[in-house]
């Protein structure tokens, strides 16, 4: 039983050390969330149910107190709607007032310029904060009438800005608000920066999905990454995000415990069989011994 007790003590210590202490994470850095919202005319057509308004309302309510957040909109060009500030009741009130008057504007969806505008401090992060972008869109890149120009813009985005975001540990969390959204692009953008992408469900499913997005963002922000150490590791050709590392550690620890318990059970059975054979041998030896005269 002694090896089993030692293993249990080790696993207990492992779980206590592995569980995050709070949203600020093990690094002690506060999250700096940039909310980026598509307000283009194409978005208005794609998002006929106005999931954008539902998503924004829930996001503003789910943002953790003490974090820093800012709100940007984009169509033909980006616009800083709510400046960076500490999330509290006053900031939420300001953001909700801005969202209530939000209208559809512009004919294009200049996502590359919007992403760049949301991180003017991309190469000069402020000490004490970790940045992340949450993108709400129902389309993709639409900077011109020509599909060829849009394809070139998407390629340039993935080849230039995405590596910089990844190198500076700024993950993008894409929320596709319509079936017309460019899902391959949004997923590639998220994975390329160490973030995640989700397809919005019904209005009733949105709150839970957005909460998962924020939880994943919070977990990713707890992992400190240097510019020369990308936040993605690979397993074959499939990217493995940092927010999957803790569950994998838990599974590995559980697997070790199962193997140890199986080994102990096997050893106990072997000892039991050995004891049985020894008793039988002693019994046979006693029976074969001649009686005393």
């Amino acid at each position: 039983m002694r090896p089993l007790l030692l293993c249990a003590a080790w696993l207990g210590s492992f779980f206590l050390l592995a569980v995050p202490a709070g949203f600020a994470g093990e690094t002690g850095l506060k999250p700096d969330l940039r909310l980026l919202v598509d307000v283009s005319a194409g978005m208005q057509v794609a998002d006929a149910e106005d999931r954008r308004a539902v998503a924004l309302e829930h996001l503003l309510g789910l943002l953790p107190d003490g974090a820093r957040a800012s709100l940007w909109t984009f169509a033909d060009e980006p616009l800083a709607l709510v400046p960076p500030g500490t999330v509290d009741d006053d900031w939420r009130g300001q953001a909700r007032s801005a969202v209530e008057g939000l209208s559809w504007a512009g004919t294009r969806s200049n996502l590359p310029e919007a992403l760049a505008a949301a991180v003017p401090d991309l190469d000069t992060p402020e000490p004490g904060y970790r940045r992340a972008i949450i993108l709400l869109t129902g389309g993709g890149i639409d900077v011109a009438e020509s599909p060829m120009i849009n394809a070139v813009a998407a390629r340039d985005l993935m080849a230039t800005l995405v590596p910089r975001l990844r190198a500076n540990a700024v993950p993008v969390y894409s929320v596709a608000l319509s079936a017309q959204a460019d899902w391959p692009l949004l997923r590639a953008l998220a994975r390329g920066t160490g973030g995640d992408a989700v397809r919005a469900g019904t209005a009733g499913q949105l709150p839970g999905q957005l909460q998962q997005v924020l939880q994943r963002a919070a977990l990713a922000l707890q992992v400190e990454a240097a510019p020369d150490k990308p936040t993605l590791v690979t397993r074959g050709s499939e990217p493995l995000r940092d927010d999957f590392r803790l569950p994998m550690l838990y599974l590995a620890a559980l697997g070790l415990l199962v193997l140890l318990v199986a080994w102990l059970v096997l050893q106990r059975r072997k000892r039991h069989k050995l004891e049985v054979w020894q008793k039988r041998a002693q019994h046979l030896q006693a029976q074969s011994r001649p009686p005393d005269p």
Side-chain angles (χ1 to χ4, degrees):
M1 292 300 292
R2 190 170 183 178
L4 183 59
L5 291 175
L6 290 174
C7 182
W10 176 84
L11 284 173
S13 301
F14 171 85
F15 279 100
L16 287 175
L17 292 173
V19 174
F23 196 88
E26 296 174 359
T27 62
L29 302 179
K30 293 183 179 180
D32 183 352
L33 304 175
R34 322 293 173 88
L35 309 182
L36 197 54
V37 185
D38 189 346
V39 295
S40 64
M43 174 72 172
Q44 181 180 14
V45 175
D47 185 25
E49 299 178 8
D50 199 13
R51 296 178 183 175
R52 180 193 68 177
V54 177
L56 276 173
E57 175 61 28
H58 285 292
L59 266 180
L60 294 178
L62 289 170
L63 289 176
D65 289 334
R68 184 162 66 183
S70 55
L71 178 59
W72 297 73
T73 61
F74 70 97
D76 296 329
E77 59 185 18
L79 173 66
L81 193 64
V82 181
T86 302
V87 176
D88 54 18
D89 291 340
D90 291 338
W91 188 92
R92 287 193 183 90
Q94 181 184 1
R96 287 193 171 101
S97 297
V99 168
E100 287 177 0
L102 200 59
S103 61
W104 307 103
T107 58
R108 300 295 170 201
S109 180
N110 196 338
L111 179 57
E113 186 175 341
L115 287 169
V119 281
D121 57 345
L122 178 58
D123 298 314
T124 55
E126 182 178 346
Y129 288 92
R130 293 296 302 278
R131 300 159 297 176
I133 298 173
I134 298 179
L135 170 65
L136 302 179
T137 181
I141 293 179
D142 182 16
V143 297
E145 289 286 348
S146 170
M148 184 67 68
I149 294 177
N150 292 329
V152 170
R155 184 187 63 192
D156 290 345
L157 171 66
M158 297 302 300
T160 57
L161 183 57
V162 166
R164 290 181 61 205
L165 290 169
R166 172 176 171 173
N168 286 280
V170 183
V172 176
Y173 294 85
S174 306
V175 181
L177 293 174
S178 74
Q180 287 75 35
D182 190 343
W183 178 247
L185 172 67
L186 297 179
R187 183 173 54 184
L189 172 62
R191 289 183 172 181
T193 58
D196 202 359
V198 297
R199 296 179 188 263
T202 63
Q205 294 172 328
L206 258 178
Q209 290 178 315
L210 294 173
Q211 187 171 9
Q212 289 179 2
V213 168
L214 283 177
Q215 288 173 345
R216 292 169 185 171
L219 191 57
L221 291 173
Q222 292 168 357
V223 181
E224 187 165 6
D228 59 340
K229 295 180 180 179
T231 57
L232 287 177
V233 295
T234 58
R235 182 184 58 194
S237 59
E238 181 68 17
L240 182 65
R241 295 185 304 275
D242 284 324
D243 56 344
F244 287 132
R245 288 181 178 176
L246 278 180
M248 290 184 66
L249 288 174
Y250 290 140
L251 290 176
L254 182 60
L256 288 174
L257 178 60
V258 170
L259 289 174
L260 181 59
V261 171
W263 180 81
L264 291 173
V265 170
L266 182 61
Q267 294 300 315
R268 185 174 181 180
R269 288 182 177 178
K270 287 182 177 179
R271 287 197 301 269
H272 178 69
K273 288 183 178 180
L274 181 60
E275 292 173 356
V276 170
W277 282 109
Q278 287 177 343
K279 289 180 179 179
R280 288 182 178 177
Q282 292 173 357
H283 180 69
L284 291 175
Q285 186 178 6
Q287 287 183 339
S288 62
R289 183 180 302 169
D292 295 333

